[in-house]
Amino acid sequence: MNIYDIAELAGVSIATVSRVVNDSPMVSEKTKQRVRKVMEENDYTPNVFARGLGLNSMKTVGLMCPDIADAYMARAVAYLEQNLKEHGYNCILYCSGYDIEERHVAVHSILQKRIDALVLIGSSYAEDDENSEKVEYIREAAKQVPVFMMNGCIQGENIYCALCNDFQAAYMAVTELLQSGREEVLFLSDSHSYSATQKLRGYKQALKDAGLSVKDSMCVYVENKIDKARDLLLSRNDLMFDAVFATEDGLAVGALKYAKKRNLSVPRDISIIGYNNSELSVCCDPELSTVDSRGDRLCKIIIDSMMLRLKNREIRSKVYANGFLIRRETTDF
Amino acid sequence: MNIYDIAELAGVSIATVSRVVNDSPMVSEKTKQRVRKVMEENDYTPNVFARGLGLNSMKTVGLMCPDIADAYMARAVAYLEQNLKEHGYNCILYCSGYDIEERHVAVHSILQKRIDALVLIGSSYAEDDENSEKVEYIREAAKQVPVFMMNGCIQGENIYCALCNDFQAAYMAVTELLQSGREEVLFLSDSHSYSATQKLRGYKQALKDAGLSVKDSMCVYVENKIDKARDLLLSRNDLMFDAVFATEDGLAVGALKYAKKRNLSVPRDISIIGYNNSELSVCCDPELSTVDSRGDRLCKIIIDSMMLRLKNREIRSKVYANGFLIRRETTDF
């Protein structure tokens, strides 16, 4: 007898059963009585919901991201929190920063909070190499609770990854730039994370497949701030490019500001593609062509997987979603 | 059956029961098993743990906001989480939505999490009237834990408010528009929250003090989305205005998009002022003049006050920070 059976017998949704168990005021007294009666008759105890000892579950999920002020992460946290709540789970938030030692401390701390599962948001947790020893602390964490990674990938027991296929998305975007006649595409990034590494691979492969050589000097790194990206490009007179593929929308907007300062017309003189389809991409002028990196989709995959995993069902350790290019005004194809 | 009964039956102290519930490594496995057995046999759930027992602090602060995907709130949560952590506190995040019933449920739920204090982020919790009966549930919550409001104000025991002086900031901004020669200032807002009401008061007072009449038709409300604001202004041919004072940067960017569509030059034909000094304000083109509403400052006030309050010191129930105008490219003064 599990929650599905109870829901069916009581003629309500699983979410409603969950709410009754949590004595949520969102459920009417009448419904509560009906659901509780079914539970009693079938000797169903809510303890079964929880991981391990039952008694010990606080129905809490740990959400960890480097920086909640980042729009991509904020949106992910918003989606996860909203939907986990509907499954009866509250969220502990921990912002770890990007520093590796801080992240160690963060994971250690959040595990002391009796969480049922841990979500690591953003690819920086996977480092630049999924097999790196630097991620051993995450494998250790996964011995205590299931770990779900959003857009990062680490192989290991009890670690489940939902990923945007950044290699494919970057490959497509850069290929389109080249096919539209651009010859010198700048790769502009803020990170060497797992995701950024996949994007770089896609960029390089697209150049190779177009018969062009890859120049390391055309891969430029700068903090993800509009003014920082603009100023860096303004200072680099040695760089010659007629297109920018940026791994974040903020960087792409920086490139747009650079173009304006240089009196370059976009997309006539220079094409620009951003990443993440954030609010920034429709705020700037001209509006930014950008890759939709499927953040909401990844969150949904994580929640669905988590709910199965917490019922001890088998789930896949790695699921991909495909990103796609949204064409706006900074490209001419 | 309460914690005292469990302690007695298990032959341990209340503190030990608390530690078992919290799965503290300070208690031996053998003792844990014994205490858990007693709990199970007596159908005791840790929820019963009352707050205020001292030994019961989980060093956890509840952070509640309507929508963490909102940049203002995300930044506040980032600041609070970061700094509370340095004081040894973890954060439970709860996104309540804007609906009044959802907010009731949210406060009810988060109080069950044994938090030491509750922070309500954003002025929507204060409704449009701080004395409204609609905020009674917050006064009830304050009977259990100290409640800190960021940019909202409710009078009540154990409620502490840190506020931007939105009246003064709006008054200054609109006065500057009028002094620069603008005659028809549109008030563009997305809300009737406490903060929005203060901004509206400042707008009206500035008009009055300039000898102008206040027209209700010039106060326009729309969802805080760039495209929604743009489309609304495009559809309202009845409105005549040469300036926009928006209560959110997103709305101001919508006004900017409207101006572009209408071939109006900014700030020659129309001046625009936003609010919050978000990343959007430096992303758009021309860049937005906007009010810095001192979010970081308010968060700092809240944390400093909370640390004193949790040591049972007296603190002020209401502290203001003054907002100020950041002049960029959408105004000509």
Side-chain angles (χ1 to χ4, degrees):
Chain A
M1 184 63 54
N2 61 30
I3 185 169
Y4 294 95
D5 304 319
I6 299 295
E8 201 178 314
L9 286 167
V12 297
S13 68
I14 304 160
T16 300
V17 178
S18 169
R19 288 196 194 99
V20 172
V21 167
N22 291 300
D23 201 20
S24 160
M26 281 168 73
V27 182
S28 72
E29 273 310 314
K30 210 177 138 192
T31 304
K32 278 184 189 169
Q33 281 174 17
R34 187 167 80 244
V35 175
R36 283 177 183 144
K37 192 155 170 273
V38 173
M39 286 183 187
E40 274 174 33
E41 286 168 1
N42 292 279
D43 213 16
Y44 172 81
T45 51
N47 284 2
V48 181
F49 265 62
R51 162 180 66 103
L53 226 182
L55 243 194
N56 214 20
S57 168
M58 294 283 280
K59 300 279 278 179
T60 302
V61 172
L63 302 183
M64 189 172 295
C65 65
D67 177 14
I68 186 80
D70 175 281
Y72 176 84
M73 296 172 199
R75 193 168 158 176
V77 168
Y79 190 103
L80 291 167
E81 196 273 348
Q82 178 71 30
N83 288 277
L84 285 169
K85 198 160 54 194
E86 286 172 15
H87 287 281
Y89 287 84
N90 282 122
C91 293
I92 288 196
L93 175 69
Y94 206 110
C95 305
S96 66
Y98 290 93
D99 181 74
I100 180 80
E101 283 186 29
E102 284 177 336
R103 284 186 273 144
H104 270 98
V105 172
V107 168
H108 179 82
S109 301
I110 206 164
L111 285 175
Q112 310 211 316
K113 287 287 175 182
R114 283 194 296 146
I115 51 175
D116 296 291
L118 174 61
V119 185
L120 301 177
I121 298 160
S123 64
S124 63
Y125 295 103
E127 307 296 338
D128 48 356
D129 174 3
E130 58 183 285
N131 298 311
S132 163
E133 277 182 26
K134 282 191 281 184
V135 299
E136 203 51 42
Y137 73 105
I138 293 176
R139 290 201 187 91
E140 284 299 315
K143 289 178 184 168
Q144 296 186 49
V145 292
V147 173
F148 296 83
M149 302 194 69
M150 178 175 175
N151 220 28
C153 187
I154 296 174
Q155 304 221 342
E157 194 88 35
N158 216 15
I159 300 177
Y160 307 95
C161 308
L163 298 143
C164 176
N165 194 335
D166 291 313
F167 169 81
Q168 164 265 354
Y171 180 89
M172 296 274 284
V174 175
T175 297
E176 292 223 41
L177 286 171
L178 297 171
Q179 285 177 349
S180 76
R182 299 295 159 179
E183 293 175 347
E184 298 287 349
V185 182
L186 189 78
F187 178 85
L188 188 60
S189 180
D190 68 331
S191 143
H192 293 276
S193 69
Y194 179 81
S195 162
T197 307
Q198 302 307 312
K199 292 170 193 164
L200 180 60
R201 275 185 53 231
Y203 162 81
K204 287 183 173 175
Q205 192 65 46
L207 292 184
K208 278 180 199 155
D209 288 356
L212 299 169
S213 62
V214 173
K215 287 169 267 185
D216 284 341
S217 61
M218 290 290 277
C219 302
V220 173
Y221 291 83
V222 63
E223 193 184 344
N224 183 19
K225 300 265 182 215
I226 294 169
D227 54 345
K228 294 272 169 68
R230 178 199 61 204
D231 293 348
L232 179 89
L233 294 180
L234 286 171
S235 74
R236 292 289 301 270
N237 289 316
D238 57 312
L239 294 173
M240 300 291 287
F241 53 93
D242 55 10
V244 175
F245 173 69
T247 63
E248 296 280 348
D249 283 341
L251 299 173
V253 173
L256 201 54
K257 300 269 176 187
Y258 152 84
K260 194 194 172 196
K261 207 83 168 174
R262 281 271 189 269
N263 285 314
L264 298 170
S265 167
V266 179
R268 197 193 60 200
D269 303 328
I270 180 171
S271 302
I272 302 172
I273 294 180
Y275 218 97
N276 285 342
N277 192 26
S278 69
E279 201 175 14
L280 294 185
S281 65
V282 291
C283 175
C284 58
D285 185 24
E287 294 185 4
L288 200 60
S289 297
T290 181
V291 172
D292 183 328
S293 52
R294 312 296 303 283
D296 287 359
R297 175 76 192 138
L298 299 186
C299 289
K300 184 174 177 354
I301 291 169
I302 285 173
I303 289 172
D304 291 348
S305 309
M306 186 188 294
M307 292 307 124
L308 290 171
R309 177 63 189 76
L310 292 174
K311 291 182 199 100
N312 283 317
R313 305 265 189 89
E314 288 266 328
I315 56 171
R316 287 160 67 193
S317 61
K318 202 168 177 177
V319 181
Y320 280 100
N322 282 327
F324 55 87
L325 184 64
I326 295 178
R327 291 165 179 80
R328 292 204 185 95
E329 299 169 350
T330 57
T331 50
D332 52 5
F333 44 81
Chain B
M1 184 64 54
N2 62 30
I3 185 170
Y4 297 96
D5 304 320
I6 298 294
E8 202 178 314
L9 286 168
V12 297
S13 69
I14 303 161
T16 300
V17 178
S18 170
R19 288 195 195 99
V20 171
V21 167
N22 291 301
D23 203 19
S24 160
M26 284 169 70
V27 183
S28 73
E29 271 310 311
K30 208 176 139 190
T31 304
K32 278 183 189 170
Q33 281 175 16
R34 187 167 80 244
V35 174
R36 282 177 184 148
K37 191 153 169 277
V38 173
M39 287 183 186
E40 273 176 35
E41 285 168 2
N42 291 279
D43 215 15
Y44 171 80
T45 52
N47 288 2
V48 183
F49 268 55
R51 258 173 298 274
L53 253 178
L55 57 88
N56 212 21
S57 169
M58 293 281 281
K59 299 279 276 182
T60 302
V61 172
L63 303 183
M64 190 172 295
C65 66
D67 177 13
I68 186 79
D70 175 282
Y72 176 84
M73 296 172 200
R75 192 168 158 174
V77 168
Y79 190 102
L80 291 166
E81 197 271 350
Q82 178 72 30
N83 288 277
L84 285 169
K85 198 160 53 193
E86 286 171 15
H87 287 281
Y89 286 83
N90 282 123
C91 293
I92 287 196
L93 175 70
Y94 205 110
C95 305
S96 66
Y98 289 93
D99 181 75
I100 179 83
E101 285 186 27
E102 284 177 335
R103 283 186 273 142
H104 269 98
V105 172
V107 168
H108 178 83
S109 300
I110 206 163
L111 286 175
Q112 310 208 319
K113 286 286 173 182
R114 284 194 295 146
I115 51 175
D116 296 292
L118 175 61
V119 185
L120 301 176
I121 298 161
S123 64
S124 63
Y125 295 102
E127 307 296 337
D128 48 354
D129 174 4
E130 58 184 283
N131 298 312
S132 163
E133 277 182 24
K134 282 191 281 184
V135 300
E136 203 51 41
Y137 72 106
I138 293 176
R139 290 201 187 90
E140 284 300 315
K143 289 178 183 167
Q144 296 186 50
V145 291
V147 173
F148 296 83
M149 303 194 69
M150 177 174 175
N151 220 28
C153 187
I154 295 175
Q155 304 219 342
E157 195 87 37
N158 216 16
I159 300 177
Y160 308 95
C161 308
L163 298 143
C164 176
N165 195 334
D166 291 314
F167 169 82
Q168 163 265 355
Y171 180 88
M172 297 274 284
V174 175
T175 297
E176 292 223 40
L177 285 171
L178 296 171
Q179 285 177 349
S180 76
R182 299 295 158 177
E183 293 176 346
E184 298 287 349
V185 182
L186 188 78
F187 178 84
L188 187 60
S189 180
D190 67 332
S191 145
H192 293 276
S193 69
Y194 179 82
S195 163
T197 307
Q198 301 307 313
K199 292 169 193 165
L200 180 61
R201 276 185 52 231
Y203 162 82
K204 287 183 172 175
Q205 193 64 47
L207 291 184
K208 276 180 200 155
D209 288 357
L212 299 170
S213 62
V214 174
K215 286 169 269 185
D216 283 341
S217 61
M218 290 289 276
C219 302
V220 173
Y221 291 83
V222 63
E223 192 185 343
N224 182 20
K225 300 265 183 216
I226 294 169
D227 54 344
K228 294 271 170 65
R230 177 199 62 205
D231 293 347
L232 179 89
L233 294 180
L234 286 171
S235 74
R236 292 289 302 270
N237 290 315
D238 57 312
L239 294 173
M240 299 292 285
F241 54 93
D242 56 11
V244 174
F245 172 68
T247 63
E248 296 280 347
D249 283 340
L251 299 172
V253 173
L256 201 54
K257 300 268 176 187
Y258 152 84
K260 193 194 170 194
K261 206 84 170 173
R262 281 271 188 270
N263 285 316
L264 298 170
S265 168
V266 179
R268 197 193 62 200
D269 303 328
I270 181 171
S271 302
I272 301 172
I273 295 180
Y275 217 97
N276 284 342
N277 191 26
S278 69
E279 201 176 14
L280 294 186
S281 66
V282 290
C283 174
C284 58
D285 184 24
E287 294 185 5
L288 200 60
S289 297
T290 181
V291 172
D292 183 329
S293 53
R294 311 295 303 283
D296 287 358
R297 175 79 192 135
L298 299 185
C299 289
K300 183 172 176 359
I301 291 169
I302 285 173
I303 289 173
D304 291 348
S305 308
M306 186 187 295
M307 292 307 123
L308 290 171
R309 177 64 187 75
L310 291 176
K311 292 186 196 96
N312 282 317
R313 305 266 192 87
E314 287 266 327
I315 57 171
R316 288 161 66 195
S317 61
K318 201 169 178 176
V319 181
Y320 279 100
N322 282 327
F324 55 86
L325 184 64
I326 295 178
R327 291 165 179 81
R328 292 204 186 96
E329 298 169 351
T330 57
T331 50
D332 52 4
F333 43 80

